[in-house]
Amino acid sequence: MDKDEIHLRRLPAPHADREFCGVDFLPEDLNEALEETEMRVNKTYSCLPAEEKGIHIINIRAIEDIGYDQHESTLLNSLSKNPDADCKYGLYFRDGKRKVDYILVYQYKKSSAGRTVTRRAHYDSTARSTKQGQPLPGKGVQLETGESEPHMDYHEDDKRFRREEYEGNLVEAGLELEHDEDTKIHGIGFVKIHAPWNVLCREAEFLKLKMPTKKMYQISQTHGLLKKINSVIQKITEPIQPKVAEHKPQTVKRLSYPFSREKQHLFDLSDRDSFFDSKTRSTVVYEILKRTTCTKAKYSMGKGEGRKKEATLLNKRRKCGKYGITSLLANGVYSAAYPLHDGDYEGENVEPNDRKLLCEEWASYGVFYKYQPIDLVRKYFGEKIGLYFAWLGVYTQMLIPASIVGIIVFLYGCATVDENIPSMEMCDQRNNITMCPLCDRTCSYWKMSSACATARASHLFDNPATVFFSVFMALWAATFMEHWKRKQMRLNYRWDLTGFEEEEDHPRAEYEAKVLEKSLRKEHKHKEKHRYFPEETANKWRQRTDKEKLTWKDRFPAYLTNFVGIIFMVGLTFAIVFGVIIYRISTAAALAISSTPSGRSSVRVTVTATAVIINLVVIIILDEVYGCIARWLTQIEVPKTDKNFEERLIFKAFLLKFVNAYTPIFYVAFFKGRFVGRPGDYVYIFHSFRMEECAPGGCLMELCIQLSIIMLGKQLIQNNLFEIGIPKMKKFIRYMKLKHQHSLDHEEHMKKKQRYEVDYNLEPFAGLTPEYMEMIIQFGFVTLFVASFPLAPLFALLNNIIEIRLDAKKFVTELRRPVAVRAKDIGIWYNILRGIGKLAVIINAFVISFTSDFIPRLVYLYMYSENGTMHGFVNHTLSSFNVSDFQAGTAPNDPMDLGYEVVICRYKDYREPPWSENKYDISKDFWAVLAARLAFVIVFQNLVMFMSEFVDWIIPDIPKDISQQIHKEKVLMVEVFMREEQGKLQMLETWKDKDKKKGENCNNHSPRLSRSHSGSLSSCHSYPLDV
């Protein structure tokens, strides 16, 4: 135990009366009064029976060591010190020297008779032991606050025993612990964990952490023209660079090597306190927490048949079970576990720290125009989170050229809208084209010129430039993926991740529990069959069950549930989309009946807008539901490791959310207006509702409206409501609860909170899956249907500029500090991005071919146009219908609505006219256009795929300078070891020469002298050899 530690014990009443007569208890803060005094723990002093009444006193031997009978004024002066300031309000242990690397939080119940004596006690390798025969502090001790025995809570005692055993095992692993239950949060205790130097060195060697050595080398710089260009770029971009030391360009770099205790002389250990930064220290402690187990069944449930059954079940569950920190958190033994933030990020007298720097230079909307300090983000949060923000930054940067090209394409459509011949023909009232009714009976005939606005708006997005933009975006996606791979390699080199390979993770607690259940079930069956077998056979069987694992047969019910569940969810999404279709059809018919003649022209816009809003609300709700369902489906599969769990969860969540977000868009793009039928022979749903048709200008305009509203609404609502509003609401609720508690205890309210108390009130880190998922869905909006909405990259860019700072602010100020995780790539997300990029080529080919009028215009221009222009295109795409062929009960109720009798009306389709022999059959023009469409899909897809693969091939994955630097590091490391070996050999040769000289000197002695000093002679040939 350290010099400032006091061990609390309980003595029975007789001892108390004899030694400390009339003393109820010693001050709780006596530990603070004796900070500078050395003490030792009486290890042989064991706990006394709980039945004997006793009082809290300090260890007698400790009092004898410090001389407790010091002058009273000295004690009062020491008590007047503020220990919280010495430990920097929770960042250090009470001694102010050992840094807190990790926090465990647990809940405990206080006695109903009053507050128990709180403890601030130290636990380290000398203060606590879990060896056989030596009970843990508190075992078998019952706290008493009065004469009456408090009600026993066996469940709480079970948790306490497990905590004590687990913490004892942590101490045996080398960690140092300190408890604190004297906090402002009632019923919450904290365990502060510190990893001493020897533990850090040991674990760094186990984890193969690359650490900087003393050797430094020059980073190769560019020369000539490239050097001048780089210097110019640096000067231009200097105002948008963050003001952090880690972001400045480096000319020298320390050679890194996996840490080894045998080669500590290679590393710069001049400052041991900063050699392992806070991120590394918390990672080391977390690995120990995961590895350390709690296996013993210490708890007896009491008497009675029910208690015996519960005890039997408990012992059977613990018989082979291992309780790491994940299991203990899941079972409620601990309520939270997290590393501490470096300090406060706002305030007048806040000491400079990385968190404050990140808040100023990264997590602020005022620096939205600056680059991210990625190296500082990695230093504080670890490689995995650093890679996420680096990827998000690269994606946002790449959206800039895509946005510029998209704006140019949109402006081209605006500039050429007055020169577009098909829209001019539709707006020309002199053509006097009468169109067939859009619905049965209630709808009347209408003039094509009434759809002039829709036709002109469609040209903004349906023009030849959109084809070029689709090709550009396909190449953009390929370039983005290659650019990210190169950026990733640069980061791996800078962060010393080259050669890093992820090792198999520890099995999850749920997996171990499932394996334990299976082994116990088999063991029970085996015992029933072989009751009278010898003990050796039973031992062999136990060894077999210890190697038990889950097979596909064990998981088959879960796989079947997953398959059925996913199919049901996809079917539910389709059903909701179908319901919205019914809503559109029925609402359009109802508005057509009740609306005034002026309002009937806006029926289509009204129905489309309201339907899209309904789709948006449903998508946002189902997103949250599908996220929970995907997690549940993954949990019942019981994946072995956290990595397997995360990958399966990502796949299911992405599949469900992809279907949820894009099904309404797929319907408008590829199905709406395809199965309508024709006048006189329409297709009906439930024999009542006619299938809806596309607008006269085509479905591309409606697709654009659908895509823009869903994309923008999803981003705005999720960003503003889910990512800003809900966390702030949770924070406000926690604040009100704490305020209510503080009003009950004014004395504790006046104390300043410790760092671990403040961090406990923050939101726990829930992983990067929601952040990635949001961006991946957005990437799909940007690439999959970009032919219909060229402004999608621009809106994504504006959203991401806010998203980066929003996520940064959330990580720095609103979340507990996550455990740093090493990673060299973004994992399964890269494969998903590549898949979306490939799918985008196919979807855009079909959008251009089948949704837009690009192919019909080309076919008309080169096959049917008389003068090589687009004049007559609209008339060519319209078929004729004789109104006398209407089915009974489907003709308009008011055939004279236009003021004249209609004989022939027109509708958009390629069919034979009523005066033809095969009237209303599909014409040969339809097959010509279909062949051209399919040919375009094949040519476009293969051409763009080839170009994407060419871009992939021509851009190397590893930048040339990085590959040279990696090779240089290997050569330098070999040189360092060669020099070390040469030094050892020279040292050995020197010692051998000295040995020979000593031997010659010994041989020159006289025989008598040699005999009388045989011990001296033998000592001539012995020397220490320590390399």
Side-chain angles (χ1 to χ4, degrees):
M1 187 175 281
D2 286 348
K3 60 185 179 181
D4 58 334
E5 296 174 359
I6 299 171
H7 195 57
L8 296 177
R9 295 289 185 184
R10 290 186 56 86
L11 284 179
H15 290 276
D17 294 339
R18 185 169 60 249
E19 298 291 336
F20 297 95
C21 184
V23 179
D24 292 328
F25 60 91
L26 291 176
E28 295 177 13
D29 293 329
L30 184 60
N31 193 12
E32 303 163 11
L34 307 172
E35 280 186 350
E36 304 299 325
T37 312
E38 290 192 11
M39 300 171 55
R40 292 187 179 180
V41 176
N42 185 1
K43 293 185 178 179
T44 60
Y45 194 84
S46 59
C47 298
L48 292 165
E51 291 76 17
E52 300 184 34
K53 296 180 181 179
I55 51 177
H56 285 280
I57 68 168
I58 60 174
N59 188 293
I60 298 176
R61 184 169 178 175
I63 297 177
E64 293 173 353
D65 290 343
I66 63 172
Y68 183 63
D69 55 347
Q70 57 182 319
H71 198 270
E72 186 178 356
S73 61
T74 307
L75 178 62
L76 291 176
N77 290 335
S78 62
L79 285 172
S80 63
K81 295 180 181 178
N82 184 6
D84 292 339
D86 294 338
C87 66
K88 294 188 178 180
Y89 294 98
L91 289 174
Y92 288 82
F93 275 23
R94 302 288 293 179
D95 56 11
K97 298 176 181 178
R98 291 174 293 173
K99 188 174 183 179
V100 177
D101 299 319
Y102 217 86
I103 291 292
L104 299 180
V105 186
Y106 60 92
Q107 295 180 353
Y108 65 93
K109 289 186 177 180
K110 297 183 178 180
S111 174
S112 58
R115 292 190 59 188
T116 58
V117 177
T118 57
R119 58 175 178 168
R120 288 184 182 267
H122 297 266
Y123 292 83
D124 57 20
S125 56
T126 61
R128 189 170 181 174
S129 176
T130 56
K131 295 179 181 179
Q132 295 290 337
Q134 183 173 354
L136 291 165
K139 181 181 177 182
V141 179
Q142 179 180 324
L143 297 177
E144 297 186 20
T145 57
E147 294 297 325
S148 61
E149 180 180 339
H151 175 68
M152 290 291 289
D153 191 337
Y154 298 100
H155 187 62
E156 290 299 321
D157 286 349
D158 176 42
K159 290 182 179 180
R160 180 165 57 85
F161 286 136
R162 279 203 255 178
R163 282 198 299 268
E164 288 175 351
E165 181 192 350
Y166 183 71
E167 290 165 17
N169 293 339
L170 292 180
V171 170
E172 287 186 350
L175 298 178
E176 298 177 3
L177 310 182
E178 182 181 86
H179 280 74
D180 184 6
E181 291 181 0
D182 185 17
T183 63
K184 296 178 71 173
I185 307 175
H186 290 282
I188 298 295
F190 296 90
V191 182
K192 295 176 276 188
I193 303 177
H194 169 77
W197 172 256
N198 60 330
V199 174
L200 292 172
C201 294
R202 181 191 71 203
E203 296 298 322
E205 185 174 351
F206 291 166
L207 296 174
K208 301 177 183 178
L209 296 179
K210 274 191 172 183
M211 304 302 294
T213 63
K214 297 177 183 177
K215 176 70 176 177
M216 301 183 71
Y217 66 95
Q218 193 79 17
I219 298 177
S220 59
Q221 302 292 326
T222 55
H223 301 283
L225 181 62
L226 286 177
K227 185 177 181 180
K228 293 181 180 178
I229 294 174
N230 287 338
S231 63
V232 171
I233 293 175
Q234 287 180 4
K235 289 180 180 179
I236 294 174
T237 59
E238 186 175 358
I240 60 175
Q241 299 290 345
K243 297 177 182 179
V244 296
E246 287 79 2
H247 200 76
K248 294 179 180 178
Q250 297 178 348
T251 56
V252 293
K253 186 178 184 293
R254 286 189 180 273
L255 193 63
S256 296
Y257 185 73
F259 188 83
S260 172
R261 287 172 288 181
E262 296 179 356
K263 299 184 182 298
Q264 287 193 29
H265 57 277
L266 295 177
F267 304 93
D268 184 11
L269 303 180
S270 57
D271 186 6
R272 290 190 173 188
D273 292 337
S274 61
F275 183 73
F276 295 106
D277 57 14
S278 59
K279 165 185 67 72
T280 307
R281 298 176 71 97
S282 64
T283 303
V284 165
V285 174
Y286 183 66
E287 288 296 324
I288 297 176
L289 293 176
K290 287 197 299 183
R291 191 175 65 231
T292 305
T293 56
C294 154
T295 56
K296 297 177 183 176
K298 296 184 167 191
Y299 175 42
S300 175
M301 288 284 190
K303 297 180 180 180
E305 195 65 30
R307 295 296 184 195
K308 288 181 180 179
K309 288 182 180 180
E310 291 180 13
T312 304
L313 291 173
L314 184 65
N315 290 334
K316 184 176 286 188
R317 189 174 75 247
R318 293 187 184 176
K319 189 173 184 180
C320 306
K322 295 180 180 179
Y323 293 86
I325 186 61
T326 52
S327 303
L328 296 174
L329 287 170
N331 294 333
V333 178
Y334 291 102
S335 57
Y338 52 88
L340 290 179
H341 281 291
D342 279 358
D344 292 326
Y345 60 90
E346 59 183 359
E348 297 179 357
N349 300 321
V350 176
E351 295 183 2
N353 57 70
D354 287 342
R355 188 188 187 194
K356 186 174 186 295
L357 188 59
L358 281 172
C359 188
E360 293 172 353
E361 295 294 328
W362 182 51
S364 173
Y365 295 109
V367 294
F368 73 92
Y369 59 92
K370 288 187 177 183
Y371 285 99
Q372 299 183 84
I374 291 298
D375 291 325
L376 185 59
V377 174
R378 172 253 177 181
K379 177 185 174 185
Y380 194 79
F381 291 109
E383 286 79 6
K384 191 171 185 178
I385 294 177
L387 281 173
Y388 163 71
F389 281 103
W391 173 83
L392 184 56
V394 170
Y395 172 47
T396 304
Q397 288 177 12
M398 289 294 292
L399 282 173
I400 295 175
S403 302
I404 293 173
V405 176
I407 292 172
I408 293 173
V409 169
F410 179 74
L411 293 178
Y412 170 81
C414 294
T416 58
V417 67
D418 292 329
E419 301 174 3
N420 183 38
I421 296 175
S423 61
M424 291 171 62
E425 288 183 347
M426 289 183 65
C427 294
D428 191 357
Q429 298 184 0
R430 293 174 296 177
N431 289 332
N432 198 24
I433 299 176
T434 303
M435 302 296 292
C436 295
L438 296 175
C439 61
D440 293 339
R441 291 177 295 182
T442 56
C443 298
S444 184
Y445 305 106
W446 56 284
K447 293 284 187 179
M448 175 170 275
S449 57
S450 63
C452 175
T454 307
R456 290 172 64 86
S458 297
H459 179 73
L460 300 178
F461 306 100
D462 187 5
N463 56 69
T466 57
V467 180
F468 158 76
F469 191 56
S470 299
V471 177
F472 171 81
M473 287 303 294
L475 298 179
W476 173 87
T479 307
F480 163 60
M481 300 305 296
E482 292 304 309
H483 179 46
W484 167 243
K485 281 196 289 188
R486 290 168 64 84
K487 178 70 173 179
Q488 195 169 250
M489 283 306 303
R490 289 188 182 277
L491 293 176
N492 286 341
Y493 165 71
R494 266 164 43 195
W495 296 349
D496 298 323
L497 293 173
T498 52
F500 166 72
E501 295 294 335
E502 293 184 10
E503 298 179 358
E504 187 176 358
D505 202 357
H506 300 280
R508 297 172 61 248
E510 292 81 358
Y511 179 84
E512 288 185 336
K514 202 76 175 177
V515 171
L516 174 61
E517 182 183 342
K518 180 181 178 182
S519 61
L520 289 175
R521 193 165 53 244
K522 283 190 174 183
E523 185 178 348
H524 180 69
K525 291 181 181 178
H526 180 78
K527 284 182 178 179
E528 288 184 350
K529 290 182 180 179
H530 309 280
R531 290 184 178 180
Y532 306 105
F533 269 57
E535 186 67 22
E536 294 181 2
T537 308
N539 292 334
K540 289 181 180 178
W541 174 256
R542 289 193 191 96
Q543 292 177 1
R544 284 180 58 191
T545 55
D546 287 343
K547 298 179 181 179
E548 199 68 61
K549 62 180 182 180
L550 297 183
T551 61
W552 69 269
K553 292 181 180 179
D554 301 318
R555 291 193 173 106
F556 180 75
Y559 289 153
L560 182 62
T561 305
N562 271 260
F563 178 76
V564 174
I566 290 174
I567 294 297
F568 175 76
M569 292 300 117
V570 172
L572 176 64
T573 304
F574 290 162
I576 291 174
V577 172
F578 182 74
V580 175
I581 294 170
I582 299 297
Y583 161 79
R584 292 160 67 118
I585 295 172
S586 58
T587 305
L591 290 176
I593 297 173
S594 60
S595 298
T596 59
S598 59
R600 291 174 189 174
S601 59
S602 60
V603 166
R604 187 181 295 274
V605 177
T606 304
V607 171
T608 301
T610 55
V612 171
I613 292 172
I614 293 172
N615 275 327
L616 173 63
V617 174
V618 170
I619 286 171
I620 292 174
I621 294 173
L622 287 184
D623 256 0
E624 302 302 316
V625 174
Y626 286 168
C628 298
I629 291 175
R631 180 169 291 276
W632 176 75
L633 291 175
T634 309
Q635 285 174 346
I636 64 174
E637 277 189 57
V638 197
K640 184 175 182 180
T641 62
D642 287 330
K643 184 179 179 181
N644 292 340
F645 181 88
E646 185 180 18
E647 288 180 351
R648 296 186 184 192
L649 172 63
I650 288 170
F651 175 75
K652 294 181 183 65
F654 173 74
L655 178 63
L656 293 175
K657 293 188 177 186
F658 182 89
V659 173
N660 180 42
Y662 297 117
T663 299
I665 301 173
F666 270 95
Y667 164 73
V668 175
F670 303 121
F671 296 99
K672 185 178 179 181
R674 309 292 172 189
F675 312 101
V676 179
R678 60 171 179 83
D681 188 21
Y682 284 115
V683 177
Y684 292 89
I685 301 175
F686 305 133
H687 303 287
S688 302
F689 302 105
R690 229 175 75 181
M691 288 293 292
E692 56 181 347
E693 304 177 41
C694 289
C699 279
L700 197 68
M701 184 62 196
E702 190 169 341
L703 176 62
C704 173
I705 295 172
Q706 185 103 2
L707 184 66
S708 59
I709 292 179
I710 290 178
M711 177 182 176
L712 296 178
K714 197 169 184 293
Q715 290 180 351
L716 290 174
I717 292 176
Q718 284 189 336
N719 286 351
N720 293 327
L721 181 61
F722 293 162
E723 294 194 21
I724 298 177
I726 292 180
K728 286 189 179 297
M729 186 172 64
K730 289 182 178 179
K731 192 174 181 180
F732 177 74
I733 293 173
R734 287 196 302 270
Y735 170 76
M736 295 302 295
K737 286 182 179 178
L738 290 174
K739 188 176 180 181
H740 177 67
Q741 292 177 355
H742 293 160
S743 62
L744 299 178
D745 195 340
H746 181 72
E747 181 183 350
E748 291 194 357
H749 177 62
M750 298 305 295
K751 294 190 300 184
K752 183 176 179 180
K753 279 189 177 181
Q754 304 287 331
R755 177 77 262 155
Y756 42 85
E757 294 179 76
V758 176
D759 287 2
Y760 177 71
N761 290 326
L762 298 177
E763 280 290 308
F765 175 63
L768 289 171
T769 300
E771 314 298 334
Y772 271 115
M773 189 68 70
E774 181 184 346
M775 290 295 104
I776 296 298
I777 296 296
Q778 185 204 83
F779 182 78
F781 282 122
V782 169
T783 54
L784 292 179
F785 298 95
V786 74
S788 63
F789 190 41
L791 295 179
L794 174 64
F795 290 115
L797 173 64
L798 297 176
N799 174 79
N800 287 5
I801 290 173
I802 301 173
E803 180 74 19
I804 290 175
R805 307 303 164 180
L806 181 68
D807 286 347
K809 196 172 186 65
K810 181 171 66 174
F811 272 82
V812 173
T813 65
E814 296 179 4
L815 295 180
R816 294 175 190 163
R817 189 174 183 177
V819 179
V821 179
R822 287 190 297 168
K824 62 187 300 184
D825 52 41
I826 59 175
I828 192 175
W829 296 110
Y830 181 80
N831 298 328
I832 293 176
L833 286 169
R834 284 189 66 88
I836 291 177
K838 303 292 184 185
L839 184 63
V841 177
I842 301 172
I843 290 179
N844 280 305
F846 276 95
V847 168
I848 294 171
S849 272
F850 288 91
T851 309
S852 74
D853 283 338
F854 178 73
I855 298 302
R857 288 172 185 171
L858 286 181
V859 171
Y860 177 79
L861 185 65
Y862 292 106
M863 290 183 62
Y864 301 103
S865 177
E866 298 178 356
N867 52 6
T869 63
M870 292 301 296
H871 287 288
F873 170 73
V874 174
N875 188 56
H876 176 75
T877 58
L878 297 177
S879 298
S880 300
F881 178 74
N882 194 330
V883 297
S884 60
D885 294 329
F886 272 123
Q887 291 181 354
T890 61
N893 294 331
D894 187 10
M896 299 293 294
D897 186 51
L898 295 178
Y900 57 89
E901 184 179 358
V902 178
V903 178
I904 299 293
C905 66
R906 310 294 296 274
Y907 62 98
K908 191 172 183 178
D909 205 349
Y910 290 101
R911 291 183 180 271
E912 296 291 342
W915 50 83
S916 173
E917 294 181 0
N918 303 315
K919 64 177 184 178
Y920 307 134
D921 286 348
I922 294 175
S923 65
K924 58 181 180 181
D925 297 341
F926 171 84
W927 300 111
V929 172
L930 180 62
R933 283 173 165 167
L934 294 176
F936 177 83
V937 168
I938 295 171
V939 172
F940 181 88
Q941 175 185 337
N942 287 279
L943 178 63
V944 175
M945 288 284 191
F946 171 77
M947 295 172 70
S948 300
E949 293 297 328
F950 180 74
V951 170
D952 192 357
W953 172 75
I954 203 173
I955 301 176
D957 294 346
I958 305 176
K960 187 177 180 180
D961 58 329
I962 296 299
S963 60
Q964 291 175 351
Q965 297 295 341
I966 293 173
H967 178 70
K968 186 177 181 179
E969 276 196 353
K970 292 179 180 178
V971 173
L972 288 173
M973 188 55 66
V974 172
E975 289 180 1
V976 168
F977 287 125
M978 291 299 294
R979 288 175 186 172
E980 186 180 357
E981 292 297 325
Q982 290 174 2
K984 289 180 181 179
L985 291 175
Q986 290 176 1
M987 194 179 299
L988 288 173
E989 290 175 359
T990 304
W991 284 339
K992 286 180 181 180
D993 293 340
K994 290 181 179 180
D995 182 38
K996 288 180 181 179
K997 291 179 181 179
K998 288 180 180 180
E1000 292 174 359
N1001 293 334
C1002 291
N1003 291 331
N1004 291 335
H1005 289 285
S1006 62
R1008 182 177 59 82
L1009 188 63
S1010 298
R1011 284 193 301 272
S1012 63
H1013 295 85
S1014 59
S1016 301
L1017 180 63
S1018 63
S1019 66
C1020 291
H1021 296 279
S1022 64
Y1023 52 86
L1025 182 62
D1026 186 14
V1027 180

